Amino acid sequence: MLPVHATPFRSIPLRAMKDWQLTEESFNLFLSWLSLDRDAAGRKYEDIRRRVIFMLECRGCTDAEDAADEAINRFIRRLPELMETYKGDPYPYILVVARNIQHEREKKQVVPLPENINELRADQVDEFEQLVQDCLDKCLGQLDTKNRDLLLDYYLNDKQEKIDFRKRLARQLGIALNALRIRVHRIRSTVHACMDDCLGTDIPAEME
């Protein structure tokens, strides 16, 4: 499992997307849908965002944070119509949206997600979520312990805390920060190739 860093709600930024503005009201609705406990909702939000960023970067996305934010915003925009029908962790659905955004930005042909969420059956979402987790476990499991721990540690924390942590991590390893980035990039590329091989032909057609 990926490490989870609890972030207080007051530090969660409101992010905008094209043709739609994320409001505090809509974001609060999303949080309350995730959990009635405010702190737990904030942790779930950050966990979802971090997992989506990690998966996108493993698949070679160069602007994973922005794509993840836009995908979450698209989900929040549709949440009022989804609340009664969508159950469970929104991560797999948001990840599919994020991958579509990645393809759009790379100007690759992509089949749009169904406009009606009911066209994505719960078993398809559950199947994809399990597939993603199984592939990630498999690909991380192929790394030696040192590289696996380095890759996961690299994604701890957010913003300035993340920057400061990576500087400390580089000092602990006795290498320059740029050398750390290169090392992690090589490890991530290995996971990227493995994830492509694992997920490439097994994603349900309805979710592409």
Side-chain angles (χ1 to χ4, degrees):
M1 296 295 292
L2 298 181
V4 177
H5 171 65
T7 300
F9 170 71
R10 62 180 178 274
S11 68
I12 299 175
L14 297 183
R15 301 175 175 91
M17 62 180 281
K18 184 179 179 181
D19 299 327
W20 183 77
Q21 180 71 38
L22 177 64
T23 65
E24 185 172 357
E25 180 182 5
S26 59
F27 191 76
N28 284 339
L29 177 65
F30 176 58
L31 287 179
S32 64
W33 181 77
L34 288 176
S35 175
L36 295 178
D37 181 276
R38 189 79 158 200
D39 290 336
R43 289 192 295 270
K44 286 184 179 181
Y45 162 79
E46 289 294 349
D47 184 37
I48 291 167
R49 182 173 182 267
R50 182 169 294 107
R51 284 189 288 164
V52 172
I53 291 171
F54 183 85
M55 290 296 296
L56 289 176
E57 290 196 346
C58 284
R59 294 181 67 83
C61 183
T62 57
D63 55 353
E65 292 190 12
D66 187 62
D69 290 337
E70 184 174 344
I72 292 171
N73 284 348
R74 290 188 186 185
F75 184 86
I76 294 175
R77 181 180 61 178
R78 296 193 59 198
L79 183 58
E81 65 185 89
L82 305 182
M83 292 179 68
E84 298 301 321
T85 57
Y86 193 96
K87 306 297 181 183
D89 188 355
Y91 163 70
Y93 181 85
I94 292 172
L95 179 59
V96 173
V97 176
R99 289 188 59 213
N100 270 22
I101 292 170
Q102 178 185 1
H103 288 311
E104 290 168 6
R105 294 180 178 183
E106 294 172 350
K107 297 183 178 178
K108 294 179 179 178
Q109 185 176 1
V110 60
V111 179
L113 283 168
E115 283 300 315
N116 185 350
I117 188 63
N118 291 319
E119 294 179 28
L120 284 180
R121 300 193 312 272
D123 61 335
Q124 293 171 340
V125 174
D126 291 343
E127 177 186 356
F128 181 64
E129 179 181 12
Q130 188 60 54
L131 174 62
V132 168
Q133 189 60 55
D134 289 347
C135 285
L136 182 57
D137 289 344
K138 170 187 173 183
C139 294
L140 290 177
Q142 291 178 359
L143 301 174
D144 59 44
T145 302
K146 180 180 178 181
N147 284 338
R148 182 173 62 252
D149 290 347
L150 175 60
L151 182 63
L152 295 178
D153 287 347
Y154 191 77
Y155 288 94
L156 286 172
N157 304 312
D158 262 333
K159 297 188 175 180
Q160 188 60 46
E161 290 183 0
K162 176 174 66 176
I163 296 172
D164 294 341
F165 176 79
R166 290 178 180 180
K167 288 179 180 178
R168 291 197 302 272
L169 185 58
R171 287 196 297 269
Q172 291 172 4
L173 294 173
I175 59 178
L177 185 58
N178 191 53
L180 174 63
R181 294 192 187 101
I182 293 172
R183 183 178 297 185
V184 170
H185 173 74
R186 289 172 177 168
I187 301 171
R188 193 173 63 219
S189 295
T190 300
V191 177
H192 172 202
C194 178
M195 292 296 295
D196 267 349
D197 182 62
C198 185
L199 288 172
T201 59
D202 295 326
I203 298 176
E206 296 89 342
M207 300 194 70
E208 275 286 13

